[in-house]
Amino acid sequence: MKIGIVGFGNFAQFLAKAFIRQGHTLCATSRSDYSLHCSELGIHFFRDVTALFDADNDVVLISTSILSLSEVLRSLPLDRLKRPVLFVDVLSVKEYPRQALLEVLPEESDILCTHPMFGPQGAKDGWRGHNFMYEKVRIRNEGTCSNFLQIFASEGCTMLEMSCEEHDKLAAKTQFITHTVGRTLGELEITSTPIDTKSFQTLLQTKETIMRDSPDLFYGLFTHNRFAKQELENLENALRQVKETLIQKANEEQEETQP
């Protein structure tokens, strides 16, 4: 397939290596100049998104940040499309890009919302066993859609077809909570000590992994997942309950020791 990538940051570069290895033809565009890196990978880099649309791709992959998606979609020269194209997003939230793509894209464009739930750090040794979520939002060309999904299936991903709503419900309880805890540990500035337990080392690794991600990702997970606010409140209530339980137990013990 011919795949055009809009937004060629670290995650898109990570995906592109597998696409190329499987024999697909790639071109890319981005606000930053990745022409040298693309040249090394054998990817045609366009500074102008119009040139990418003129390249007559089978698939246009949207790999922007969550916060910049709306601006990027508004800038797409959709009038330059020569034929119906499959648009795919790989954002970490799903209801928001689904709605945005439906509002912006022409009716004849197919839409596949996906979330490869892994990245360069966690899947540096391969994608086998890692989850790949997708929803076929609007698909007429089943062949192109199937071929794109096969990229991930052939790499050994666990293919999970579910609605964007269900994804965001689950992601708020998992990915968002993980990022929130990691950012909180970052604020605590925890570091390794000579008496680290295995559990503490796990917490430290979580903090270090999350802190390597852009803060914009964390903000995007909160502002564009409608279930995140409730999960943040649940986390606050849980911490408050733990604190109250500790204080209650301490008071009870103190009362028991008093003559």
Side-chain angles (χ1 to χ4, degrees):
M1 289 189 297
K2 294 178 66 177
I3 303 174
I5 302 176
V6 178
F8 202 63
N10 290 335
F11 188 62
Q13 295 170 29
F14 167 68
L15 295 179
K17 292 175 182 177
F19 296 172
I20 294 169
R21 187 173 65 250
Q22 293 189 21
H24 302 288
T25 302
L26 270 60
C27 61
T29 187
S30 199
R31 286 184 293 187
S32 300
D33 185 0
Y34 292 106
S35 54
L36 180 58
H37 186 54
C38 282
S39 178
E40 294 171 349
L41 293 174
I43 298 172
H44 197 145
F45 183 79
F46 297 109
R47 293 305 306 271
D48 184 0
V49 67
T50 300
L52 182 137
F53 272 59
D54 286 339
D56 194 25
N57 296 287
D58 301 304
V59 177
V60 172
L61 182 75
I62 307 296
S63 183
T64 67
S65 70
I66 298 170
L67 299 182
S68 65
L69 176 66
S70 179
E71 177 186 352
V72 170
L73 290 182
R74 288 196 304 268
S75 71
L76 296 180
L78 298 173
D79 59 316
R80 303 300 287 262
L81 290 172
K82 297 179 174 64
R83 57 187 172 90
V85 172
L86 171 63
F87 281 83
V88 181
D89 90 276
V90 290
L91 275 65
S92 297
V93 295
K94 293 274 56 82
E95 283 191 310
Y96 169 56
R98 181 186 190 277
Q99 186 59 37
L101 289 167
L102 285 171
E103 290 176 356
V104 170
L105 296 179
E107 177 64 27
E108 61 270 19
S109 296
D110 283 359
I111 301 173
L112 179 68
C113 286
T114 78
H115 183 191
M117 305 190 73
F118 51 90
Q121 298 171 29
K124 60 180 181 295
D125 298 322
W127 300 359
R128 182 166 300 279
H130 290 281
N131 292 333
F132 179 87
M133 170 271 166
Y134 65 96
E135 180 185 351
K136 297 179 179 180
V137 177
R138 185 171 67 203
I139 300 297
R140 297 183 182 87
N141 189 330
E142 288 286 351
T144 299
C145 180
S146 177
N147 288 340
F148 182 82
L149 291 174
Q150 186 58 31
I151 294 174
F152 296 87
S154 64
E155 293 288 329
C157 292
T158 301
M159 307 298 286
L160 302 173
E161 184 171 9
M162 67 175 63
S163 70
C164 291
E165 178 183 13
E166 182 64 17
H167 168 277
D168 282 2
K169 284 182 181 178
L170 297 175
K173 296 177 180 293
T174 56
Q175 186 182 25
F176 173 69
I177 288 296
T178 302
H179 276 257
T180 302
V181 171
R183 291 280 164 183
T184 302
L185 295 175
E187 291 294 329
L188 288 173
E189 299 181 351
I190 64 170
T191 57
S192 182
T193 75
I195 57 169
D196 288 358
T197 62
K198 291 296 183 181
S199 297
F200 179 77
Q201 289 174 357
T202 299
L203 283 177
L204 192 62
Q205 182 59 49
T206 297
K207 183 210 76 168
E208 292 173 350
T209 298
I210 294 302
M211 295 304 289
R212 282 195 289 266
D213 286 327
S214 165
D216 283 352
L217 172 60
F218 183 45
Y219 302 148
L221 292 174
F222 178 72
T223 58
H224 291 293
N225 183 338
R226 61 189 174 98
F227 303 103
K229 183 178 180 180
Q230 182 60 56
E231 292 306 323
L232 182 60
E233 292 177 0
N234 292 344
L235 182 62
E236 290 176 326
N237 291 336
L239 181 59
R240 188 179 303 111
Q241 183 61 50
V242 169
K243 179 180 178 180
E244 290 174 358
T245 299
L246 288 173
I247 293 174
Q248 180 181 347
K249 292 295 184 182
N251 290 338
E252 291 174 355
E253 182 174 322
Q254 185 177 12
E255 291 174 359
E256 289 175 358
T257 57
Q258 289 178 349

